[in-house]
RNA sequence: GCGCCUGUAGCUCAGUUGGUUAGAGCACCCGCCUGAUAAGCGGGAGGUCUCUGGUUCAAGUCCAGAUAGGCGCACCA
């Protein structure tokens, strides 16, 4: 592979021949170069003394394959980091791996073909965790290979790994500090629970297919009899439930505060045949919206708002001693029991608008309980079975009381019968609804308040809110709305998980006196325990084997069984990645790399990593003021999901996942990166469209490569040297060069500003416009001849230098986004300066920006467009020279410009027109002036009078318009008030009044002199001939530099004369050494063309 | 259910602090050019800026509501 050799050494070497057809291969050579040269390490070393720009890598988990969305996130991170390096900053890019957590366990369970906690315990926690430790590296190779391939520069030599001893050790220290501040407490967390597996389920597990099943359940309406004085007719609150088994644990009722509740008098049910109402009546409360549906016939006795019912007391439905549990987060108030409370979550779609509250068995119920400090009862334990006998009344026994040990689902029937028997059951039916089941064992789940450890983040709420205001969120709404709201509604963080593979919680609790300690690290544990067993590891189960002596009562302290929420791991990475504070030198590293200047992850991390970093940071900066009073990260760039081309989320199930390797192999990773970054704002969901990707490759990269090829071909032939002393200074170059120089500097300024402001898409777009429209399609196309003409003079050198500088700037500016192509170009353009990624970003030289020149080219381009349109209308191809172009304009400056050689010749040459016919101010014969108000300037000044003013301005007469054009202000009469109107306030435009074809854009009126004389026709014919001959050259397979002998046999005197008259032009354009003019009909076997004007040509060529 | 984002040409997207002819690229049709050539250029067609209402002299842009899609959170007593 001589290619990689060329890469580093050869000035103006061609791009790899397959760069456009198979960019992937060319990119691989760059990777090889980076590898052999150690480019990344060298860059990092070169920036070692730079100002730090702190970047934190959000750790991916390596037990899933990386997908195309990871390419997006990594491209954004990489591009920002590369750019910051180019600004001279030191950007450390420490890799990290997220290795703990439930997904890992599930993967291992699958592999071992076991399922559920009992089976894991049977398998052995030690062996299980060993498997987990291995499992997380399943796809490590994939990640590293893909990261390298996409050019994501990351330091994999010293990655942080969340299961590492130093990492866990650090987390223990942080938790101990939190514990010491009283921020850690034992509470209860209501979560879906499987009694058989004895475990809570994560929301992820609840989302598994088949979890929700349609099953029949009781649907019962229960009377909660009001306490206190009862009249002749019993008065009750009616509540609906589908889980009678929770009724023994009932502690309150909830109503909606703003709904109306009806006090209804209804007939008591009677036996068949008896007269309605003969058994008497009762009074029931239900929400107004449901009264008819629930009660049928009733007499309304009154109404109350829900909040007016609040506080009412009722008699418990079961008078049994159900065990109470300590909620942890509050101290229960027994006097609050069996009362009505208000809650916004109460709905009126079904039920009665009165919801029975059993805090242990519902998250909403738990919230109500927390708010009102309710007692928490648990008639059903973690195994899903009754923990005590339930019998409301002695006679219930004959129905078979719900006995201790009954599975909760099986208890329903007995409880319903008991309630019915005691007259508390208003209605009893069965209803089919969807109910969650354990995805492992298919057992019906129940919500259950399980013991859990909490971090009192509510104590940090104000600090978090205040810090959030100082984070630059991109886009802003994520911070102000999504994240801000999440902080406003902050609740304490449940940091415990009843699992196996995770950072063990460092909390030891005394089995005697319940005293708890938090251990701040391995060394502290060793000291407290005396010694640690052989093969000790800061994971389960070895850590569980360590017991401590209680300092209070001398009893045995055991570690709490739970492990840490693995989100805490990643949120603690700013500190734990350095092993702070136990690892020597970590303190210095931490201070250097805190806070982050920049992080970047998917929107799904708002409540994930973004939050955990923020919350832990809020604590740490408070605890360690030397870290500064700052949020953990200063800028957070959020990226959206990558969807398939139809806007559907990619999933294995649908088979619409885009394999990043396929896309890269086909189009090259630069195109993929460019497409992902430039196709839309990074935070919007992105549709991945392979066709659009191909377009990026063709449109942008293809054009750029073509531009370089053009430059390179001639630069080599002429041995152009960018350091040649004869190159004219920019100010001494032709206007067209100064224009491109100016545009180049404007581009540098624009892209620099945008990239520094994290606007990668905006920078990419600016680069696209520049390369495709300005550099390639205008500058190069217009100036081709300057490069291939014979002598190397100042003009040629100016052209070379101008193009070289433009390409050079493009290579530098595109480097962060398209690191491979940039490198390929740069090493050829600047062969002695090493990698493009080690360069400093260019700075715009404002002295070279010429606004007037840029505006001038705009005028030129507008006239060219108009001229082409005129040719189109007249049916005159560009090859046919025309005599003249006429222009009228009210813009004196523009006319002056067109009179200049520079702009005038550009227009005429581009349009193949011999000269200007007339070029002047509107004379009123072919066009007239019309005026329109400039709303932008006048609107603010005039406000409501704008409309009237606009009408007056449109009605301005010619003299006054002329005055305005001349730069004089004019007075307008608006309702008797005189208003001064400046030329800037009026947009004067021209309109054609001509009877022949003209073009106008409001600023210019243009028309063509279409009259052809013999000379023009002859020249046109000559050009046609050149075109045909050159086409023939190509068809014949001649190389561009091949010389030919050209034999022409024109069939017509006019053509014959034209060809003789323009023989040298013909010969020059076709590289003919000799041109033979033959008689008509002498080349019967040759190519024959109709050149127009009734002229046919036969010709033959041969290599000379 | 709650919150956030998005809805502009057939497709993918721009659209400045509100300012009067709403743009680009692709695709399509027509034409052109070709010593950058597995490129390039021009022209054309294509829009009730999702809908309704409001604020304003002026709304794609601001406000409210509706609607469709996406995402997140919660819940189904």
């Amino acid at each position: 592979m001589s290619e990689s050799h060329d890469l580093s050494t050869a000035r103006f070497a061609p791009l790899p021949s397959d760069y456009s057809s198979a960019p992937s291969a060319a990119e691989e050579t760059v990777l090889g170069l980076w590898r052999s040269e150690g480019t990344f390490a060298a860059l990092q070393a070169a920036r070692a003394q730079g100002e730090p720009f702190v970047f934190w890598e959000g750790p991916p988990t390596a037990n899933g394959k990386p997908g195309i969305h990871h390419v997006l996130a990594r491209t954004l991170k990489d591009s920002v980091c590369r750019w910051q390096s180019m600004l001279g900053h030191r950007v450390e890019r420490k890799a990290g791996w997220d290795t703990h957590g439930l997904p890992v366990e599930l993967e291992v369970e699958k592999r071992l073909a076991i399922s559920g906690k009992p089976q894991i315990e049977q398998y052995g926690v030690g062996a299980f965790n060993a498997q987990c430790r291995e499992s997380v590296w399943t796809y490590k190779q994939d990640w590293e290979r893909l990261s390298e391939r996409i050019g994501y520069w990351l330091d994999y030599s010293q990655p942080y790994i969340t299961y590492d001893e130093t990492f866990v050790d650090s987390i223990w220290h942080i938790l101990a500090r939190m514990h010491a501040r009283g921020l850690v407490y034992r509470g209860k967390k209501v979560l879906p629970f499987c009694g058989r597996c004895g475990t809570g389920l994560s929301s992820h597990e609840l989302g598994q297919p088949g979890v929700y099943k349609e099953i029949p359940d009781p649907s019962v309406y229960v009377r909660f009899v009001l306490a206190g004085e009862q009249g002749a007719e019993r008065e009750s609150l009616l509540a609906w439930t589908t889980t009678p088994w929770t009724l023994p644990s009932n502690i309150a009722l909830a109503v909606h505060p703003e709904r109306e509740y009806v006090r209804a008098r209804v007939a008591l049910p009677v036996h068949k045949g008896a007269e309605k109402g003969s058994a008497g009546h009762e009074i029931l409360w239900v929400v107004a919206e449901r009264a008819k549906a629930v009660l049928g016939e009733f007499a309304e006795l009154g109404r109350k708002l829900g909040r007016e019912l609040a506080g009412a007391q009722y008699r418990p439905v079961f008078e049994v001693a159900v065990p109470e549990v300590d909620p942890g987060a509050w101290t229960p108030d027994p006097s609050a029991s069996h009362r009505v409370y208000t809650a916004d979550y109460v709905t009126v779609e079904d039920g009665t608008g009165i919801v029975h509250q059993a805090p242990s068995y519902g998250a909403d119920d738990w919230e109500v309980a927390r708010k009102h400090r309710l007692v928490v009862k648990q008639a059903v334990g973690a195994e899903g079975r009754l923990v005590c006998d339930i019998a409301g009344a002695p006679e219930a026994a004959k129905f078979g009381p719900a006995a201790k040990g009954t599975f909760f689902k099986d208890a329903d029937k007995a409880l319903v019968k008991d309630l019915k028997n005691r007259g508390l059951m208003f209605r009893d039916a069965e209803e089919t609804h969807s109910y969650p089941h354990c995805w492992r064992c298919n057992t019906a789940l129940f919500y259950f308040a399980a013991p859990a450890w909490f971090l009192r983040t509510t104590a940090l709420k104000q600090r978090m809110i205040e810090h959030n205001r100082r984070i630059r969120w991109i886009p802003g709404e994520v911070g102000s709305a999504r994240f801000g709201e999440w902080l406003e509604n902050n609740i304490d963080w449940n940091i415990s998980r009843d699992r196996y593979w995770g950072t063990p919680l460092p909390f030891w609790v005394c089995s005697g006196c319940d005293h708890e300690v938090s251990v701040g690290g391995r060394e502290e544990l060793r000291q407290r325990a005396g010694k640690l067993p052989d093969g000790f590891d800061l994971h389960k189960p070895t850590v569980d084997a360590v017991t401590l002596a209680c300092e209070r009562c001398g009893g045995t302290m055991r570690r709490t069984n739970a492990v840490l929420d693995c989100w805490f791991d990643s949120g603690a990475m700013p500190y734990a990645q350095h092993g702070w504070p136990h690892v020597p030198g970590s303190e210095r590293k931490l201070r250097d790399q805190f806070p982050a200047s920049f992080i970047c992850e998917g929107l799904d991390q708002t409540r994930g990593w973004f939050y955990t970093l923020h919350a832990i940071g809020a604590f740490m900066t408070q605890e360690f003021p030397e870290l500064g009073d700052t949020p953990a990260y200063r800028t957070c760039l959020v990226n959206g999901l990558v969807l398939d081309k139809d806007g559907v989320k990619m999933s294995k199930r649908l088979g619409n996942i885009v394999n990043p390797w396929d896309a890269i192999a086909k189009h090259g990773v630069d195109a993929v990166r460019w497409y992902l970054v430039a196709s839309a704002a990074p935070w919007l969901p992105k549709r991945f469209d392979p066709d659009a990707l191909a377009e990026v490759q063709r449109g942008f990269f293809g054009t750029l490569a073509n531009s370089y090829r053009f430059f390179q071909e001639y630069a080599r032939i002429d041995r152009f040297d960018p350091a040649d002393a004869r190159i004219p200074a920019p100010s001494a170059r032709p206007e067209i060069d100064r224009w491109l120089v100016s545009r180049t500097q404007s581009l540098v300024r624009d892209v620099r500003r945008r990239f520094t402001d994290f606007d990668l898409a905006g920078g990419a777009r600016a680069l696209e416009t520049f390369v495709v429209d300005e550099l390639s399609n205008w500058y190069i196309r217009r100036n081709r001849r300057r490069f291939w003409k014979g002598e190397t003079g100042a003009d040629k050198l100016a052209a070379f230098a101008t193009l070289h500088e433009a390409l050079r700037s493009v290579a530098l500016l595109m480097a962060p986004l398209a690191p491979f192509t940039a490198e390929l170009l740069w090493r050829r353009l600047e062969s002695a300066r090493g990698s493009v990624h080690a360069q400093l970003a260019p700075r715009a030289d404002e002295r070279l920006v010429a606004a007037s020149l840029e505006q001038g080219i705009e005028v030129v381009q507008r006239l060219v467009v108009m001229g082409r349109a005129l040719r189109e209308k007249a049916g005159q191809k560009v090859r046919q020279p025309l005599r003249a172009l006429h222009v009228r304009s009210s813009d004196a400056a523009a006319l002056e410009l067109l009179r200049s050689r520079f702009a005038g010749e550009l227009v005429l040459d581009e349009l193949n027109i011999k000269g200007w016919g007339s070029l002047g101010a509107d004379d009123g014969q072919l066009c007239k002036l019309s005026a329109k108000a400039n709303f932008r300037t006048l609107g603010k000044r005039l406000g409501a009078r704008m409309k009237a003013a606009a009408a007056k301005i449109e009605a301005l007469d010619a003299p006054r318009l002329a005055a305005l054009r001349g730069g004089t202000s004019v007075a307008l009469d608006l309702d008797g008030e005189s208003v001064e109107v400046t030329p800037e306030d009026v947009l004067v435009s021209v309109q054609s009044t001509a009877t022949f074809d003209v073009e106008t854009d409001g600023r210019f009126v243009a028309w063509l002199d279409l009259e052809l004389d013999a000379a023009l026709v002859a020249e046109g014919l000559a050009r046609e001939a050149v075109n045909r001959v050159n086409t023939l050259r190509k068809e014949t397979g001649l190389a561009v530099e091949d010389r030919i002998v050209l034999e022409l046999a024109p069939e017509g005197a006019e053509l014959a004369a034209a060809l003789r008259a323009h023989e040298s032009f013909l010969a020059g354009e076709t590289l003919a050494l000799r041109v033979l003019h033959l008689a008509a009909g002498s080349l019967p076997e040759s190519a024959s063309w109709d050149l127009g004007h009734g002229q046919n040509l036969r010709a033959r060529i041969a290599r000379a």
Side-chain angles (χ1 to χ4, degrees):
Chain A
M1 301 283 272
S2 61
E3 201 55 62
S4 61
H5 177 72
D6 283 356
L7 258 176
S8 51
T9 56
R11 169 187 280 180
F12 307 150
L15 285 171
S17 56
D18 54 2
Y19 172 78
S20 290
S21 54
S24 196
E27 289 172 355
E28 298 275 3
T29 67
V30 175
L31 283 176
L33 175 71
W34 287 346
R35 233 176 276 142
S36 64
E37 191 187 73
T39 316
F40 177 46
L43 167 65
Q44 297 301 74
R47 296 288 187 272
Q49 301 308 316
E51 278 287 303
F53 176 87
V54 179
F55 165 71
W56 291 341
E57 160 78 349
T61 160
N63 81 333
K65 273 195 182 183
I68 193 79
H69 51 292
H70 295 110
V71 176
L72 169 62
R74 303 200 140 210
T75 296
L76 292 169
K77 294 179 194 179
D78 183 64
S79 299
V80 168
C81 287
R82 281 184 195 263
W83 177 251
Q84 292 292 332
S85 286
M86 291 184 82
L87 291 177
H89 297 141
R90 167 167 56 93
V91 188
E92 300 192 6
R93 302 166 165 223
K94 192 181 175 76
W97 296 105
D98 188 15
T99 56
H100 284 147
L102 186 65
V104 182
E105 291 192 28
L106 294 180
E107 188 73 24
V108 170
E109 283 187 49
K110 210 188 291 170
R111 191 185 308 162
L112 298 175
I114 61 173
S115 180
K117 284 172 125 180
Q119 289 188 25
I120 292 173
E121 309 236 348
Q122 202 184 340
Y123 180 82
V125 173
F128 181 79
N129 273 357
Q131 293 277 334
C132 289
R133 191 185 284 257
E134 279 307 304
S135 163
V136 295
W137 302 119
T138 308
Y139 298 105
K140 179 169 183 265
Q141 290 287 322
D142 290 77
W143 277 91
E144 293 190 354
R145 268 182 57 232
L146 184 64
S147 295
E148 194 205 14
R149 181 61 190 86
I150 66 173
Y152 184 35
W153 273 356
L154 204 60
D155 181 1
Y156 281 106
S157 66
Q158 299 270 307
Y160 67 90
I161 298 164
T162 57
Y163 72 53
D164 261 0
E165 182 108 328
T166 56
F167 202 94
V168 173
D169 209 17
S170 182
I171 288 176
W172 276 27
H173 182 81
I174 294 167
L175 284 170
R177 306 295 290 231
M178 291 171 163
H179 190 267
R181 297 289 171 200
L183 293 176
V184 175
Y185 68 91
R186 278 179 270 168
K188 296 252 184 309
K189 170 79 178 172
V190 175
L191 71 174
F193 219 81
C194 173
R196 202 199 68 89
C197 300
T199 182
L201 273 70
S202 68
S203 55
H204 166 254
E205 291 172 288
L206 217 54
Q208 301 272 328
V211 162
Y212 281 89
K213 282 193 234 276
E214 294 290 324
I215 57 159
D217 255 334
S219 168
V220 299
Y221 293 80
V222 181
R223 298 183 180 99
F224 288 78
V225 182
L226 284 165
E229 287 296 299
Q230 288 277 335
E233 292 171 348
R234 188 171 65 171
E235 184 162 354
S236 321
L237 299 157
L238 198 59
W240 174 65
T241 183
T242 55
T243 55
W245 59 271
T246 60
L247 287 168
S249 309
N250 171 274
I251 202 68
L253 294 173
V255 295
H256 193 281
E258 304 307 328
R259 298 280 178 185
E260 280 195 321
Y261 288 80
V262 177
R263 186 164 181 254
R265 183 168 183 266
V266 298
L268 284 168
V270 292
H271 294 293
K272 246 190 196 141
E275 196 189 331
K276 202 169 186 186
S278 59
H281 290 81
E282 67 173 327
I283 296 164
L284 294 172
W285 287 88
V286 293
V287 77
E289 286 88 342
R290 296 283 302 161
K292 186 91 184 72
V294 173
L295 303 176
E297 263 179 58
F298 66 93
E300 184 174 325
L301 302 180
R303 284 187 176 219
K304 272 188 181 177
L305 283 176
R307 60 182 146 81
E308 294 171 313
L309 286 172
Q313 217 167 352
Y314 64 87
R315 298 185 199 147
V317 284
F318 288 97
E319 302 277 11
V320 283
V322 171
E324 291 176 15
V325 295
D326 179 6
W330 69 90
T331 310
D333 170 12
S335 70
S337 300
H338 307 300
R339 290 181 185 275
V340 175
Y341 297 95
T342 60
D344 288 330
Y345 81 87
V346 174
T347 62
V348 296
E349 272 94 63
D350 44 24
T352 63
I354 301 174
V355 182
H356 118 79
Q357 302 289 292
S360 264
Y361 308 107
D364 282 330
D365 306 36
W366 184 267
E367 260 314 290
V368 171
R370 189 184 59 80
K371 212 162 151 192
H372 302 287
R373 296 174 50 214
L374 300 182
V375 168
V376 179
K377 293 187 169 189
Q378 275 187 1
V380 171
E383 298 74 31
R385 298 178 182 279
L386 288 178
V387 295
C388 57
D389 292 330
I390 308 289
E395 64 266 30
K398 62 181 175 234
F399 300 105
K404 180 175 174 178
T406 309
F407 187 61
F408 71 94
K409 278 269 176 205
D410 302 329
D412 282 342
K413 202 162 272 179
L415 293 169
V416 167
K417 277 185 179 167
D418 178 44
L419 290 168
K420 212 185 254 177
N421 189 44
R422 290 190 282 130
L424 296 178
M425 184 62 65
F426 174 74
R427 193 195 297 165
D428 155 32
E430 207 168 66
E431 197 175 272
T432 300
H433 66 160
S434 86
Y435 193 87
H437 290 74
C438 179
W439 63 277
R440 288 195 183 88
C441 66
N442 203 26
T443 308
L445 300 173
F446 63 110
Y447 281 82
F448 180 69
W453 291 82
F454 286 85
L455 183 60
R456 207 181 301 278
T457 51
T458 46
L460 295 163
K461 183 171 156 179
Q462 283 317 309
R463 188 172 173 81
M464 288 196 284
I465 289 169
E466 198 278 317
H467 276 183
N468 182 40
R469 290 198 197 101
R470 289 192 260 153
I471 298 173
R472 163 102 194 269
W473 287 91
I474 306 171
E477 304 84 45
V478 175
S480 58
R482 199 180 273 244
F483 196 62
E485 200 145 323
W486 164 252
L487 292 178
E488 289 289 346
N489 298 325
N490 187 264
I491 54 167
D492 289 342
W493 178 6
N494 169 215
I495 56 171
S496 63
R497 295 292 181 268
D498 234 353
R499 300 296 315 182
Y500 303 96
W501 178 237
T503 299
L505 287 175
F507 308 134
W508 268 256
V509 180
C510 178
S511 49
C513 69
D514 206 39
H515 175 56
E516 73 186 46
V517 296
S518 179
V519 177
R522 183 192 169 106
E523 180 54 24
E524 186 185 334
L525 183 65
R526 197 189 58 75
Q527 284 171 14
R528 282 179 184 266
K531 85 185 259 286
L532 297 175
D534 290 342
F536 175 81
D537 164 61
L538 278 178
H539 279 95
K540 286 168 87 71
T542 60
V543 72
D544 292 334
V546 179
T547 58
L548 307 175
C550 178
E551 55 205 8
R552 292 255 174 94
C553 72
T556 305
M557 302 188 90
R558 298 188 187 283
R559 197 191 69 83
T560 184
N561 200 39
V563 297
L564 181 66
D565 176 8
C566 64
W567 282 111
F568 195 105
D569 289 351
S570 50
M573 67 60 71
Y575 329 95
Q577 66 172 339
H578 310 298
W580 175 89
H582 305 299
V583 170
S586 56
E587 173 88 17
R588 191 180 45 76
K589 288 298 298 178
L590 171 60
R591 288 214 208 176
D592 179 67
Q593 293 289 297
F594 189 96
S597 316
F598 169 75
I599 60 171
C600 168
E601 304 290 333
L603 186 60
D604 53 340
Q605 293 298 323
T606 310
R607 277 128 164 113
W609 198 48
F610 297 157
Y611 173 67
T612 60
L613 278 178
H614 192 68
I616 296 172
F619 170 78
M620 292 295 282
T621 51
Q622 184 169 275
E623 187 76 3
F624 302 96
E626 58 270 32
L627 288 176
D629 181 19
T630 166
Y633 44 92
R634 295 245 162 87
T635 298
C636 182
L637 176 60
V638 179
N639 60 267
L641 263 82
V642 180
L643 311 170
D644 76 1
K645 68 187 289 279
D646 301 316
V648 180
K649 195 174 176 173
M650 291 184 190
S651 74
K652 268 189 198 148
R653 190 171 52 82
L654 294 172
N656 59 351
I657 291 179
V658 173
N659 180 346
W661 290 101
D662 295 344
I664 291 167
K666 199 160 173 193
H667 304 288
V669 77
D670 273 350
V672 173
R673 287 173 62 123
W674 197 276
Y675 167 70
L676 286 173
V677 168
S679 67
W683 52 89
L684 298 176
K686 226 167 290 286
R687 301 184 175 201
F688 192 89
D689 181 1
D691 294 339
L693 181 56
E695 172 55 27
V696 166
Q697 192 203 340
R698 237 192 5 253
F700 177 68
F701 289 99
T703 304
L704 179 60
N706 245 331
S707 301
Y708 174 74
R709 277 192 204 109
F710 175 85
F711 167 80
Q712 167 274 315
E713 200 168 306
Y714 295 103
R716 285 197 116 186
I717 292 168
D718 279 346
R719 301 183 185 288
F720 168 68
D721 178 4
D724 193 326
R726 295 169 301 164
I727 295 173
S731 58
R733 295 180 199 167
E735 284 93 340
I736 189 72
D737 291 353
R738 290 189 350 244
W739 170 76
L740 189 69
V741 167
S742 173
R743 290 296 309 140
T744 304
Q745 297 309 313
S746 301
L747 175 79
V748 167
R749 180 178 52 196
D750 189 28
V751 173
R752 188 181 171 102
R753 183 176 56 77
R754 287 178 185 273
F755 280 180
T756 304
D757 197 38
F758 305 98
D759 178 11
L760 301 177
R765 290 207 174 101
L767 277 160
E768 275 174 8
T769 305
F770 179 79
V771 167
V772 175
D773 296 342
E774 299 175 329
L775 180 72
S776 172
N777 293 342
W778 187 255
Y779 183 80
I780 294 183
R781 193 172 54 78
R782 282 303 319 161
N783 291 282
R784 276 177 295 194
R785 279 168 193 273
R786 293 171 67 196
F787 291 88
W788 74 63
K789 70 183 178 188
E791 75 285 5
T792 302
D795 183 67
K796 193 175 193 175
L797 284 171
F800 269 125
T802 302
L803 184 52
H804 180 257
E805 284 154 18
L807 286 168
R808 192 180 170 282
S809 298
V810 168
L812 284 169
L813 294 173
M814 75 189 292
L817 296 182
F820 297 92
T821 302
E823 191 78 309
L824 287 167
L825 288 175
W826 176 260
R827 302 246 183 186
R828 287 162 171 77
L829 291 165
E830 291 281 357
S831 52
R833 300 190 50 184
S835 171
V836 69
H837 302 290
Q839 309 303 315
L840 291 176
R843 236 176 230 290
D845 184 343
E846 298 293 338
R847 291 166 306 176
L848 299 178
V849 176
S852 61
L853 223 39
E854 295 194 15
Q855 285 159 18
I857 292 291
E858 270 177 48
V859 168
V860 167
Q861 288 176 336
R862 284 172 79 159
L863 276 167
V864 166
V865 167
M866 288 165 70
R868 289 212 177 101
L870 285 165
R871 273 186 173 277
E872 179 97 6
K873 274 186 208 165
Q876 289 293 348
K877 357 177 119 172
V878 179
R879 271 192 295 260
Q880 173 60 59
L882 294 176
R883 189 193 306 279
L885 175 64
H886 302 260
V887 172
R888 294 286 178 280
S889 176
S890 57
D891 183 338
L895 286 173
E896 196 53 44
L897 184 85
L898 292 174
R899 281 194 195 95
S900 75
R901 241 194 62 196
F902 155 61
E905 281 185 3
L906 266 180
V907 173
L908 296 176
D909 189 60
E910 186 74 8
L911 291 171
N912 192 20
I913 293 171
K914 291 298 175 191
W916 292 106
S918 57
L919 199 54
D922 328 297
D923 54 12
Q925 293 192 318
L926 286 166
C927 45
K928 64 171 197 212
L929 295 177
S930 67
K932 197 174 243 178
N934 183 350
F935 282 79
R936 201 183 275 268
T937 59
L938 282 171
K940 247 178 218 141
R941 201 140 39 95
L942 299 181
R945 292 178 300 173
M946 186 65 225
K947 243 180 196 155
K952 293 256 181 189
I953 286 170
E954 270 166 49
L956 281 174
D957 53 23
R960 291 215 273 180
L961 282 180
L964 281 166
R965 268 171 55 212
T968 329
S969 294
V970 163
L972 276 188
D973 177 58
L974 278 184
D975 294 331
E977 197 187 333
S978 177
V979 174
E980 183 94 343
V981 177
T982 69
E984 206 205 353
D985 295 329
V986 180
L987 307 169
V988 181
S989 64
V990 276
Q991 276 155 354
S992 163
T993 56
T995 51
F996 49 90
D997 277 341
V998 301
E999 273 290 303
T1000 180
D1001 65 346
R1003 190 170 166 201
F1004 300 101
V1005 176
W1007 69 98
L1008 291 171
D1009 181 347
L1010 291 164
E1011 195 185 323
L1012 296 177
D1013 58 23
L1016 289 173
V1017 171
E1019 189 182 335
L1021 286 171
R1023 281 180 177 249
E1024 292 291 345
V1026 166
N1027 168 245
R1028 301 306 195 279
V1029 171
N1030 277 335
T1031 307
L1032 184 60
R1033 279 183 61 111
K1034 194 171 142 192
E1035 285 167 2
T1036 316
L1038 294 179
V1040 287
E1041 66 273 15
D1042 282 341
R1043 309 289 144 151
I1044 58 167
V1045 172
L1046 175 58
E1047 294 175 282
L1048 299 168
E1051 293 167 4
E1054 199 183 338
L1055 178 56
L1059 294 177
R1060 282 183 194 280
H1062 294 281
E1063 183 184 316
S1064 62
F1065 168 74
L1066 205 54
E1069 293 294 308
T1070 62
L1071 294 187
L1073 295 181
R1074 276 187 303 152
V1075 180
L1076 304 176
H1077 300 272
L1078 308 179
S1082 48
L1083 294 170
E1085 298 303 310
S1086 64
S1088 166
W1089 308 289
D1090 174 8
L1091 301 186
H1093 301 277
Q1095 304 293 306
N1096 274 306
L1097 174 66
R1098 282 185 172 275
R1100 191 164 65 185
I1101 60 173
R1103 193 180 279 117

